[in-house]
Amino acid sequence: MGRHRKTMIALGLLASAVFLFLAVRRLDFASLRAIFARADLLPWVPLGVLSYVAGHVVRGLRCRLLVRREANLRLVTASNIVVVGYAANNVFPARLGELVRAGMLAERTGIPIAQSLVVTFIERVLDGLAILLLLVVGTMNGGAPGWTGDLVRVALLVFGGACAVMLFAVYSPALVVAGASRVGNRLGPRWHDRLVGLATSITNGGACLRDPKNAVWILFYSAVVWVLETGLFLAILPVFGLAPSFTAAAVAMSVTNLGLLVPSSPGFIGPFHFFCSRALMTHGVDEATALAYATVVHLAFYVPVTLWGAASMLWYGVEVGATAAMTREARAAGKELEIGGVVLHELATLSPATADEPASAFTTALVEAIVVPSGKRVEPTALRDAADFVHGQLGSLQPQLAMLFEGGMTFFRLVTRVRHLRGYCDLPLDTRRAWTLSWAESRYGLLRKLFKPVRATALLAYFDHPAMRASIVVPAKQLARKKGAASSAAPSGSAATGVEAE
Amino acid sequence: MKTQVLVIGSGAGGATTAYELARAGVDVTVLEEGKRHDRAKTYGLGTTEGMKHLYRRRGMTPILGRVPIGYVEGSCFGGSTEINSGFWHRTPREVLARWQAQFDLEGASPEELAPHFAWAEEALSVSLSGRPFEKSTEVFARGAAAMDWAAHEVPRAATGCKSTNSCAVGCPTGAKQGMSISILPRAEAAGARVLTSARVRLLIKQGSRITGVLAEVELEDGARKLVRVDAEHVFVCAGPTETPALLRRTGIKFHVGDTLRIHPMLKVVARFRERIAAYDSVLPVLQVREFSPEVSMGGAFFTPGHAALSLSDNWDPARLDAIENMAGYYVAVRGRGRGQVRSSQLGDGETMLRYELAEEDVVNLSNGLARLATLLLAAGAEEVYPTVQGMAPITSEKQAIRWLDERLPRSALSLTTVHAFSACPIGERTDRCAADSYGKVPRWDNLYVNDASMLPDSPGVNPQGSVMAFARRNALHFLSRLGPS
């Protein structure tokens, strides 16, 4: 064991001891025993555990979405990875579980370790913001002691700063890589390649957030995770005869989790009890009851997840030290490739190109309203292919334009629902056609511009589709045959007439 | 291991550069962002497939501004030469004189450029079609004759064209001499290595030199890698929009991307009394040059889908019933407005284009529409449908000539363009040029631009000829400075 690691563990144990002392220094142990004797564990503790465990499943959903571009993780695998991290934090000091979790994510998905650490960083930043939000909600009714306000400000500074860094890396990857290249160039080719590779991994880690839909889901999952964790703190309140109050639970949960940022002994023994009990005492709960409450919440927090995590570790055969091994593997990047006689120095692996996806029901309904003329039969193959084409074209727009288009279409769908009291896809074709046309040919230029890309690509694809082309265009040979058969009275040279006659 | 010269892009500029340098014995590597396609499998498949495989961002690269302008360019082995019409023009004498006067452009007189044009014309077998006009050209010629306006058949780099109407989606017969079939095979035979599916993200700078590039490479198994390619000299030939964007992403911004010029184009669909079947033949090959270089008129690529698109500004699907009698034409102006190419600060540094129409552009487009509609009516058109929102079909000369005196409403215009240039103008005027007369970027010892972005200003004609002639001239100038290899 290295000296540095020994120092870390010693400091963690010291922090735990200090907080444990602070938590119990004025405690009347006799009344604590009496409180436990009166505790009403069922059904509250199982309910709390269920809520907490459900939170980890949602964490799995979020993790799966965060690495979706690189890997198709099953929900059970994603949840196991998340839980392994938490379990490792319960077993190892100084939040080393975060590294174990990143290592396992890298091992399961094949993404570089740096990218995996960035995914973990993003999760922690979003967690911090969600906790902060719940703390603000919990203290909004007034009466909260002054230190909670200080805590909000400090947390806002920490997580707000981290969030700014995250947003920069996620939304300006080109600048990050260019910056790394410039700095690296001053340090020599070896450092250049390392820094560029690292910067690429970092920017890839947040790539999923560039898709507005993904970003919204990830934010939503983050909120749900912490509401469910608040559920654990809420469910334990009645165990000690305390009124179930969401705000009290939210404050206890938020303060406890922010307190856990202090590196301490395995399982956060000490800091957890100190911060949890102090948070509850701000709601007028006596010290002994608050400590008893903190102890039960801690056990519900510690035992199930540690067991689940241990089982997962056994199942996947993850060993402590795998992280270091994978880091070494990641460093092996920088090898030379030769393709077609061109020598390339490989710096990083990028997400594979995504395959075309079929159009959504909304896009198909929109394309149908645009291209199928009133009174004419729809050509199903042409419609399906045109909708898929439009979907692909819109996906090829520059991100800023795509975002504007998505925003505009969300507005359109919202107005449609308000105006027609039904979703766009549920409207009859005639209504949909007229409604769409009223926007696409609106006197407001902005609305016309919104519909221009979808309208242009839809018409182009539908009327150039072989099935449609065959129905509106008379091939030259067929025309010659028809002319031969037609009487001389037929209007000469009128293709329109020819098509109608057909 | 360093390549001696790295050429970024395989379009008209990149292919010519690579060929001339490889032929002289220089070790050349070409990085092309697009794919190398099998002509038999991918070319001529139709609009949607063509856009998917051969166009940058599948053709979704609009130029933003108060009047958004649809713009497309190629992104494949051979660049935009795979999807253009193959029309060939030498840079007009008057335009060259103006460039010399305004940009102190050296070595670019018609006489100095003549051998380079002659070389390219021979290499691409540029010629007139030598056969009777297709119907869509015939009626256009009839209109020009009725108006007594100067018009001529445009030579094309398309020997033995089979009139499959596939120019814009890759010529399936190999008649059109895109770079993939003409210059690039020669360059490869001369020793140039071409790596496709390799998008250059950044030039690597060290002191006053570019030491290589960072590129995203897609391997055959679909895996993507970020790689570094080292080079002694770098020619950026990534096209009129990507070259300035790449330079700007790298932090090279001096007069780069500030002067994008285009040929704004207004399309019309004309319905004639007779059958035209324009969708079954090559686009009209006649251009009216009576008003050039400020205004030109000609025929547009036409399919049922393009007809629907052009008619969509005043949508009445019943009009498509007469598709047999329709053909598409355009009026294009030598844009006087000024555009910008920027690399987005967000995302992967995507290229963002802006252009604001100048007042002269609107005047020229209005006058051009009046004249084009008059010509088409004189040719026998019953109705002319302009791509102007809310404008009724033009059915008489009186309705047409109204636009000689009035201006088309900007907000109602649906404009497109396929010609962009001048975002990195060359010349000796340091107050307005991004590179010297031969494409060398100042302050950088080994960096050159050599594609449509270098043309100092709008040439007023299809730019492929100008790009190839200037690119060859610059490549030979580079070789003369490089010395024996």
Side-chain angles (χ1 to χ4, degrees):
Chain A
M1 191 183 289
R3 224 171 78 184
H4 179 69
R5 203 165 159 194
K6 279 183 189 165
T7 312
M8 290 267 293
I9 291 172
L11 282 175
L13 288 171
L14 183 66
S16 274
V18 168
F19 281 110
L20 203 57
F21 168 72
L22 290 173
V24 301
R25 64 184 168 153
R26 286 196 298 260
L27 187 69
D28 174 0
F29 284 92
S31 57
L32 183 65
R33 275 197 299 277
I35 288 165
F36 271 118
R38 289 198 306 271
D40 192 6
L41 296 175
L42 292 173
W44 307 113
V45 173
L47 271 178
V49 169
L50 195 66
S51 183
Y52 185 54
V53 167
H56 280 84
V57 176
V58 179
R59 282 186 172 95
L61 279 171
R62 181 177 66 177
C63 176
R64 197 167 68 146
L65 202 51
L66 277 163
V67 296
R68 198 173 76 162
R69 283 163 59 103
E70 281 77 20
N72 190 14
L73 274 182
R74 288 166 60 217
L75 176 59
V76 73
T77 310
S79 302
N80 284 340
I81 291 171
V82 166
V83 170
V84 162
Y86 277 79
N89 270 337
N90 288 347
V91 177
F92 302 117
R95 298 195 76 98
L96 284 176
E98 307 296 356
L99 291 180
V100 174
R101 180 196 175 298
M104 188 171 170
L105 183 63
E107 189 263 334
R108 288 287 126 190
T109 57
I111 63 177
I113 193 79
Q115 190 173 336
S116 176
L117 282 167
V118 170
V119 170
T120 308
F121 174 73
I122 290 171
E123 286 178 322
R124 293 298 157 263
V125 171
L126 296 175
D127 286 345
L129 293 175
I131 290 169
L132 197 56
L133 184 71
L134 284 165
L135 180 58
V136 171
V137 168
T139 53
M140 261 181 3
N141 60 350
W147 60 264
T148 53
D150 294 338
L151 187 62
V152 168
R153 277 186 283 277
V154 171
L156 194 60
L157 200 69
V158 172
F159 289 107
C163 188
V165 171
M166 179 187 84
L167 290 176
F168 178 68
V170 166
Y171 291 104
S172 294
L175 287 184
V176 173
V177 173
S181 176
R182 272 169 217 170
V183 172
N185 244 332
R186 293 171 199 277
L187 305 172
R190 203 168 143 203
W191 276 102
H192 172 268
D193 292 0
R194 278 187 182 177
L195 279 178
V196 169
L198 183 67
T200 307
S201 290
I202 288 172
T203 55
N204 281 353
C208 57
L209 286 174
R210 280 176 225 144
D211 178 340
K213 274 185 199 156
N214 276 354
V216 168
W217 275 110
I218 287 166
L219 287 174
F220 173 72
Y221 286 147
S222 300
V224 172
V225 161
W226 292 97
V227 167
L228 285 169
E229 184 142 342
T230 304
L232 165 66
F233 285 75
L234 182 65
I236 305 298
L237 285 171
V239 170
F240 300 100
L242 300 169
S245 153
F246 183 81
T247 52
V251 170
M253 186 281 295
S254 309
V255 171
T256 305
N257 277 288
L258 290 174
L260 298 190
L261 291 175
V262 178
S264 63
S265 63
F268 311 109
I269 296 165
F272 191 103
H273 300 80
F274 174 75
F275 287 109
C276 184
S277 59
R278 289 303 177 273
L280 198 62
M281 285 161 69
T282 63
H283 283 76
V285 177
D286 66 88
E287 189 177 8
T289 307
L291 192 64
Y293 169 84
T295 306
V296 173
V297 173
H298 182 257
L299 285 171
F301 164 93
Y302 186 92
V303 176
V305 162
T306 308
L307 290 176
W308 180 1
S312 298
M313 281 170 135
L314 283 175
W315 179 262
Y316 293 118
V318 169
E319 296 169 3
V320 178
T323 305
M326 276 177 263
T327 309
R328 281 196 296 276
E329 191 185 324
R331 280 181 190 155
K335 60 187 176 188
E336 284 191 356
L337 292 173
E338 189 176 327
I339 305 173
V342 182
V343 177
L344 311 166
H345 304 269
E346 182 184 337
L347 309 186
T349 301
L350 304 171
S351 312
T354 48
D356 283 354
E357 290 175 353
S360 64
F362 170 70
T363 305
T364 307
L366 191 60
V367 170
E368 186 185 26
I370 289 168
V371 301
V372 179
S374 180
K376 295 261 173 123
R377 195 173 57 84
V378 63
E379 177 55 60
T381 321
L383 175 63
R384 193 195 58 224
D385 290 350
D388 288 347
F389 176 73
V390 169
H391 180 74
Q393 295 300 104
L394 296 174
S396 300
L397 282 169
Q398 289 109 330
Q400 290 94 323
L401 296 180
M403 214 177 287
L404 285 174
F405 179 78
E406 282 287 333
M409 278 299 146
T410 305
F411 176 68
F412 169 68
R413 294 174 78 168
L414 195 70
V415 174
T416 304
R417 196 166 275 281
V418 170
R419 166 73 176 75
H420 296 280
L421 300 176
R422 270 197 278 182
Y424 181 80
C425 300
D426 299 328
L427 295 176
L429 178 57
D430 283 339
T431 313
R432 225 180 322 137
R433 185 187 294 117
W435 177 238
T436 308
L437 200 66
S438 70
W439 283 62
E441 294 190 354
S442 161
R443 61 197 169 103
Y444 302 109
L446 200 61
L447 298 187
R448 291 204 305 272
K449 283 177 191 173
L450 171 66
F451 276 79
K452 188 90 180 170
V454 66
R455 199 164 182 229
T457 50
L459 288 170
L460 187 67
Y462 188 72
F463 287 100
D464 262 354
H465 193 277
M468 277 309 293
R469 203 182 149 102
S471 72
I472 59 173
V473 164
V474 184
K477 283 180 186 169
Q478 196 180 332
L479 188 80
R481 279 203 303 276
K482 202 179 328 181
K483 270 185 178 171
S487 72
S488 57
S492 63
S494 169
T497 314
V499 172
E500 282 159 14
E502 193 179 28
Chain B
M1 186 180 157
K2 276 187 179 183
T3 186
Q4 200 175 358
V5 172
L6 183 68
V7 178
I8 302 168
S10 68
T16 305
T17 308
Y19 171 61
E20 286 300 339
L21 299 187
R23 199 169 63 99
V26 174
D27 174 58
V28 178
T29 298
V30 180
L31 297 184
E32 164 56 49
E33 176 181 357
K35 288 187 163 69
R36 186 194 292 252
H37 294 284
D38 181 343
R39 186 174 299 276
K41 288 182 183 163
T42 316
Y43 279 34
L45 288 186
T47 311
T48 54
E49 291 302 309
M51 288 173 79
K52 266 189 217 172
H53 296 300
L54 305 176
Y55 285 55
R56 181 176 306 289
R57 285 189 172 276
R58 301 183 179 211
M60 302 297 276
T61 46
I63 300 175
L64 305 181
R66 275 177 294 168
V67 181
I69 299 173
Y71 170 68
V72 293
E73 61 183 25
S75 177
C76 57
F77 183 65
S80 292
T81 64
E82 302 302 301
I83 57 160
N84 68 9
S85 57
F87 284 165
W88 187 266
H89 294 272
R90 291 191 177 196
T91 321
R93 177 175 285 272
E94 174 194 314
V95 170
L96 288 174
R98 283 159 91 169
W99 289 357
Q100 199 170 13
Q102 292 172 13
F103 297 89
D104 285 353
L105 183 61
E106 291 177 357
S109 66
E111 293 72 27
E112 285 166 311
L113 287 170
H116 305 298
F117 277 113
W119 166 82
E121 286 156 5
E122 189 187 341
L124 305 188
S125 308
V126 173
S127 63
L128 298 174
S129 71
R131 59 183 192 182
F133 286 156
E134 298 285 355
K135 195 73 182 174
S136 55
T137 307
E138 184 192 309
V139 291
F140 196 63
R142 196 163 69 204
M147 300 305 294
D148 198 20
W149 286 341
H152 64 251
E153 182 189 348
V154 185
R156 293 179 70 217
T159 321
C161 172
K162 304 283 190 300
S163 203
T164 57
N165 195 27
S166 301
C167 297
V169 291
C171 180
T173 66
K176 193 181 77 186
Q177 298 295 295
M179 293 299 110
S180 72
I181 205 168
S182 54
I183 307 296
L184 286 170
R186 293 188 197 189
E188 289 185 298
R193 295 177 295 269
V194 183
L195 181 63
T196 51
S197 302
R199 178 186 178 236
V200 175
R201 278 171 66 160
L202 203 66
L203 306 178
I204 302 172
K205 301 187 293 190
Q206 197 159 44
S208 61
R209 294 185 68 81
I210 302 298
T211 57
V213 300
L214 287 182
E216 294 171 11
V217 179
E218 188 175 333
L219 308 181
E220 279 182 8
D221 61 0
R224 290 167 68 239
K225 305 279 184 191
L226 181 70
V227 300
R228 192 189 78 228
V229 185
D230 297 332
E232 287 173 21
H233 301 274
V234 176
F235 277 78
V236 187
C237 311
T241 62
E242 289 304 306
T243 288
L246 173 60
L247 293 178
R248 291 190 69 91
R249 275 204 298 276
T250 304
I252 300 169
K253 300 181 179 177
F254 190 66
H255 296 313
V256 171
D258 298 331
T259 51
L260 175 73
R261 298 297 172 98
I262 59 171
H263 290 157
M265 185 185 281
L266 181 71
K267 287 187 182 171
V268 304
V269 171
R271 182 172 64 76
F272 294 88
R273 277 186 291 273
E274 65 217 89
R275 184 174 191 269
I276 307 291
Y279 48 77
D280 261 348
S281 64
V282 70
L283 76 172
V285 295
L286 199 82
Q287 281 185 347
V288 170
R289 307 297 301 171
E290 178 81 12
F291 313 100
S292 70
E294 298 306 317
V295 180
S296 64
M297 300 170 205
F301 186 61
F302 191 80
T303 64
H306 281 83
L309 183 57
S310 296
L311 294 170
S312 68
D313 287 295
N314 303 287
W315 186 231
D316 176 359
R319 285 179 181 151
L320 278 179
D321 291 344
I323 186 116
E324 305 267 315
N325 296 16
M326 289 176 167
Y329 300 93
Y330 71 83
V331 54
V333 302
R334 186 168 176 270
R336 296 300 190 90
R338 184 162 287 197
Q340 282 185 338
V341 181
R342 288 289 181 267
S343 161
S344 170
Q345 300 297 306
L346 297 175
D348 283 328
E350 282 87 358
T351 307
M352 301 295 288
L353 310 175
R354 284 196 74 83
Y355 183 87
E356 292 300 346
L357 288 175
E359 202 53 37
E360 299 102 296
D361 295 346
V362 180
V363 171
N364 285 338
L365 284 168
S366 306
N367 294 348
L369 173 63
R371 290 177 172 130
L372 178 61
T374 309
L375 180 154
L376 292 169
L377 291 170
E382 292 180 321
E383 287 190 314
V384 176
Y385 311 104
T387 53
V388 181
Q389 164 88 24
M391 184 185 280
I394 298 172
T395 55
S396 68
E397 188 176 358
K398 187 179 170 190
Q399 288 173 348
I401 60 167
R402 171 188 168 196
W403 300 109
L404 288 174
D405 300 309
E406 294 180 37
R407 287 174 197 178
L408 291 164
R410 280 175 185 257
S411 65
L413 295 173
S414 283
L415 302 179
T416 56
T417 187
V418 287
H419 298 162
F421 14 69
S422 312
C424 303
I426 57 172
E428 301 303 315
R429 286 281 298 266
T430 51
D431 59 331
R432 57 176 64 168
C433 294
D436 73 11
S437 291
Y438 296 93
K440 183 177 170 299
V441 180
R443 297 196 293 132
W444 298 96
D445 297 341
N446 60 344
L447 178 62
Y448 304 81
V449 291
N450 215 20
D451 58 19
S453 68
M454 73 177 150
L455 301 183
D457 199 355
S458 160
V461 293
N462 303 54
Q464 185 183 336
S466 304
V467 173
M468 288 186 73
F470 272 90
R472 182 169 186 269
R473 181 197 72 133
N474 294 354
L476 296 180
H477 184 267
F478 169 80
L479 285 172
S480 70
R481 296 296 173 96
L482 191 65
S485 69

